[in-house]
Amino acid sequence: MGFFSFLSKEIAIDLGTANTIIIFNDKVVVDEPSIVALERNTGKIIAIGKKAQMMHGKTHENIKTIRPLRDGVIADFQSAEFMIREMIKMIGLKNSLFPPALKMVICIPSGITGVEERAVKDSAEQAGAKEIRLIH
Amino acid sequence: MAAAIGIGIDVLEPTGNMVIDIGGGTSEIAVIALGGIVNNTSIRIAGDDFNADIEEYMRKEHNINIGERTAERIKIEVGAAIDELDNPPDEYEVLGRDMLTGIPKGIKVNYTEIAQCLDKSISKIEAAVLNALENTPPELSADIYRTGIYLVGGGSMLRGLDKRLHLKTKLSVHVAEDPLRAVARGTGIALKNFDKFTFLIK
Ligand SMILES: Nc1ncnc2c1ncn2[C@@H]1O[C@H](COP(=O)(O)OP(=O)(O)OP(=O)(O)O)[C@@H](O)[C@H]1O
Ligand SMILES: [Mg+2]
């Protein structure tokens, strides 16, 4: 901890079908349902996590909610990527001072295929991860 | 693996441990020893399927349409894996749409009917657990006989699930403390052992 703690850019992610949890500096900093809400015609993300969850089942034709993971794997690659990126932003790392050079460990289901494994890594890389390890 | 680490098991030891993670999308049963997964059974029956069972049950038995969130609420309020609980929850009023009139309606449900409606899915989890035990090398079986089975994941909080698995396997069954975060905790510990834990996947 202390002065240099904000330099630490190592995070652990449990990317779950229902909930995504991020640990940073030994603390749970994000614990949100794995869901995104977006504008149907523009594809713009309106909300993620709890906020999007509140909209689930209550949307009108211009909003839809997506759970990017199904059965433990990424079912919707693009929205998964969005979700991971937005959740990492929630940690509040100063991206302007420290361009994301994140070290990440991500938990994945053991039944996952090679392709699905690749999809998780790609999402994490898109979200700024530089060094990634996966764990079952 | 992360789940095992998260509940404080020393996964590098030559001792077998069985950890079951019942999440939203999958239930995973793993036997872990010497820093590796000795065997793993993963089935796509978990919390989401319990919700779907409840939605269907409400439609068929009570002629009421409910959404996924309401189904989850019912599961958390009055969900159960066995129909005789020591500390039964109160009846719960479900609000939804009457399928016949289309008008919003409330009806009361109790845990015994939810236990019945979840029975099929839970039986599948049970079968997977038995299967995993069958496929465990005997030396590790002996370890598991001593240590029992550990449950993590949100689904492990379903009332009576631990008891049901205990009755089925005769093994002791322990639900992890804060089961929703056990995997995240373990992943956090793995992060600190980024280079030491050789089982992490590059
Ligand atoms: N008290 C409870 N009783 C029963 N089920 C619960 C309870 N609390 C949460 N759940 C369920 O637990 C599930 C979420 O658990 P968890 O966060 O461990 O899953 P996940 O890690 O997101 O999913 P997966 O591991 O399958 O990818 C949801 O289906 C939720 O409804
Ligand atoms: Mg999980």
Side-chain angles (χ1 to χ4, degrees), chain A residues 16-91:
Chain A
T17 304
N19 300 295
T20 295
I21 301 178
I22 301 182
I23 292 188
F24 173 61
N25 276 339
D26 293 333
K27 282 195 287 286
V28 172
V29 287
V30 174
D31 185 351
E32 296 278 338
S34 305
I35 184 167
V36 301
L38 31 90
E39 223 170 68
R40 205 181 281 271
N41 43 19
T42 62
K44 210 182 102 201
I45 299 273
I46 307 167
I48 58 156
K50 292 180 194 89
K51 256 191 182 159
Q53 172 84 346
M54 309 263 273
M55 303 176 182
H56 194 48
K58 297 185 177 182
T59 52
H60 51 73
E61 61 181 13
N62 199 22
I63 296 182
K64 69 174 170 180
T65 50
I66 298 179
R67 294 181 51 191
L69 291 102
R70 281 281 164 190
D71 297 328
V73 298
I74 295 183
D76 183 324
F77 187 69
Q78 208 192 3
S79 52
E81 205 174 287
F82 267 126
M83 188 181 79
I84 296 173
R85 198 177 317 167
E86 290 302 311
M87 289 199 183
I88 290 172
K89 273 193 207 156
M90 284 177 162
I91 307 172

